[in-house]
Amino acid sequence: MANIIANEQVIVKQAEQTFLLDFSCEIARVRTKADLEAAIFKVLDKILHAKVAMITVIADDGYNLVRFMFDETLFDHAREVYDEMLGKQFTIEETYNAKVLSSEDGLVFNVEEEAMSGNALAALWQTTGLKNAYSLPLRVGDRNIGTIWLLANHLSQLILRGIAAQISIAIANIQANEKLQNYKKQLENENLYLKEQISNIYNFSEIIGNGAEMQEVYRLMSLVANSATTVLVLGETGTGKELIARAIHNASPRKDKLMVKVNCAALPANLVESELFGHERGAFTGAIDRRIGKFELANQSTLFLDEVGELPLEAQSKLLRAIQEREVERVGGKQIIKVDVRLVVATNRNLEEEVKAGRFRADLYFRLNVFPIMLPPLRNRTEDIEALTLFFVEKYSRNSGRIIRKVTPGVIQQLRSYSWPGNVRELEHLIERSVLLTTNSTLQEVYIPTNHLLSERSENKEQFNRTLDEVDRTYIIGVLKRCRGKISGHGGAAAILDIPGNTLHSKMRKLGVTKTDYFSKE
Ligand SMILES: Nc1ncnc2c1ncn2[C@@H]1O[C@H](COP(=O)(O)OP(=O)(O)OP(=O)(O)O)[C@@H](O)[C@H]1O
């Protein structure tokens, strides 16, 4: 008899071990919660006739227990109790859970006894007709990760331990996998965001210069590019205002349409309005045809008003109206035309001073000065000179079919010690000239004007070997100094030079004469 019993025990044990082996094979395939659910249902329910009343996992806070999985069929007949149970928040300190989590091999509850003692969950379990509730801690190593509650008539200790160990591993894997997926998603989102940022910044890739001052410019550009906000680009002549305006447009949602540019200084005063707002046929002498203005042309795009400080006062009022009302009227026309235009304006003038002097409308200035971006003069960013030089050398050697691969350190040093009144444009022209004059593969010599050296500024230098432009420039600066910077009007430099104020302005621009030149102390 004893032999028979011992034999039966061996057979049961073997069956249990076979079961555990099969279960571990099922579990090994588990990647997701759905896989685990399927595996549990297939093996526990079908073979052991055991139901998963609940699996909980410990939340990231290490305190709350989160419902992870349960057998839905259990609750078909007991919705109310189930809903009430769902409303509850379990924690690791709650009596039952605390007991289970601190136990070695879990606890067994008699379902009927538990129900009689008033345990609401047990009342739910009772509906299955299964006798026992087995509760086990889920552990990975020494770390509790949750609990499992199984309902069955009988489960051996070996089976319970095996199930708990396998499910613990599966849940730990699922959680790790979920974390990995979340992390991946987060990285993908970040990547997308960074790509957007880079496309914003590196849409600015044709702009050379990585020094601190230009970094600030790029930062501001990135902030404003996406919006329809008016941008005021300030800076001396040749600092790259137009380049910046184009880059802002190219990084904006309007980039698919062409940016429209108007150079306010290049237009005679009587034609500015017609250029900006258009005209009807016969609106003035010479208006043979109807013509649409640049504002209309720039509808749903960007209108770049270069040298906006040069706009005549009358045109300023019309511009103000167009900005305020977002509508324009053609010269000689009666129709109001709605426009959706993003404005980027630039000037090398000090608009505040222009306002004070009555040459620029204060209300227009406030409308334009919404988001100013100040471009640094080249002399303030000598750290960018090398990169700019190499960029222009490469550009102009390509254009002229030369192969110039190097620039000597001496040349870079020379370029760095010049004050660049004409800024990047002046550097660009100088490199263009120097490339043409270079016959070998290294740029060894540049022809820098000797006035405006940062180290030794002096006007008592040699007067020979200077171009007419250089002589003009020095002379104009001298006159401006004598007139204390006054350009037009009585006692202004234009009157002394016997040329109109506007012509002097253009000449100064052309020659790169800025306030720093004639207000400098030397
Ligand atoms: N950071 C830069 N990187 C590369 N090229 C530049 C840079 N800044 C200016 N340039 C080049 O210098 C020249 C002058 O630039 P741009 O016409 O934009 O200057 P600006 O400030 O608008 O001048 P102005 O006030 O005289 O109209 C252009 O050929 C432009 O491409």
Side-chain angles (χ1 to χ4, degrees), residues 240-444:
K241 296 186 290 297
E242 182 170 346
L243 198 65
I244 298 295
R246 286 198 183 282
I248 291 175
H249 170 74
N250 289 337
S252 80
R254 295 165 185 253
K255 64 172 182 287
D256 294 332
K257 292 207 155 195
L258 278 183
M259 180 179 98
V260 177
K261 177 192 163 182
V262 176
N263 185 338
C264 303
L267 293 162
N270 57 341
L271 287 187
V272 174
E273 282 176 38
S274 143
E275 178 78 10
L276 287 178
F277 310 113
H279 63 246
E280 293 296 339
R281 192 171 166 205
F284 48 85
T285 325
I288 321 164
D289 278 320
R290 192 177 92 166
R291 200 178 142 189
I292 72 161
K294 292 289 175 10
F295 254 97
E296 270 180 84
L297 202 61
N299 196 24
Q300 296 184 330
S301 183
T302 306
L303 178 62
F304 173 49
L305 298 181
D306 200 5
E307 319 250 16
V308 74
E310 316 295 316
L311 267 188
L313 278 167
E314 208 172 320
Q316 288 179 26
S317 326
K318 298 233 166 124
L319 174 60
L320 179 67
R321 212 196 106 196
I323 298 173
Q324 276 171 341
E325 314 292 336
R326 301 271 155 199
E327 57 190 29
V328 293
E329 207 175 330
R330 294 190 192 120
V331 178
K334 293 190 178 65
Q335 198 194 342
I336 301 281
I337 303 148
K338 284 267 166 215
V339 282
D340 163 24
V341 169
R342 198 262 176 95
L343 271 186
V344 178
V345 303
T347 182
N348 50 22
R349 292 206 183 197
N350 181 331
L351 283 187
E352 265 176 59
E353 277 180 22
E354 295 298 302
V355 170
K356 274 188 210 145
R359 284 188 293 268
F360 205 84
R361 289 185 65 126
D363 40 13
L364 178 59
Y365 170 61
F366 293 126
R367 281 276 167 179
L368 298 180
N369 191 27
V370 183
F371 195 94
I373 298 183
M374 184 76 193
L375 297 191
L378 189 54
R379 64 184 165 280
N380 286 2
R381 52 182 189 113
T382 45
E383 70 272 28
D384 291 337
I385 283 182
E386 183 166 1
L388 280 162
T389 303
L390 296 174
F391 174 73
F392 292 133
V393 164
E394 142 76 12
K395 175 174 168 185
Y396 288 105
S397 35
R398 208 179 332 115
N399 284 357
S400 61
R402 276 154 223 264
I403 304 166
I404 300 177
R405 296 215 166 83
K406 271 170 71 183
V407 179
T408 61
V411 162
I412 299 292
Q413 190 45 47
Q414 254 182 299
L415 296 172
R416 277 166 168 271
S417 49
Y418 180 60
S419 69
W420 301 109
N423 292 295
V424 184
R425 181 184 289 114
E426 191 183 1
L427 173 66
E428 180 170 2
H429 289 170
L430 182 111
I431 299 296
E432 183 180 8
R433 254 193 331 258
S434 307
V435 163
L436 287 175
L437 294 170
T438 301
T439 47
N440 58 27
S441 64
T442 304
L443 190 73
Q444 292 170 334

Side-chain angles (χ1 to χ4, degrees), residues 181-192:
Q181 291 303 325
N182 286 344
Y183 190 52
K184 187 171 162 241
K185 187 91 213 121
Q186 189 190 339
L187 284 179
E188 278 168 1
N189 288 341
E190 273 176 22
N191 193 21
L192 215 69

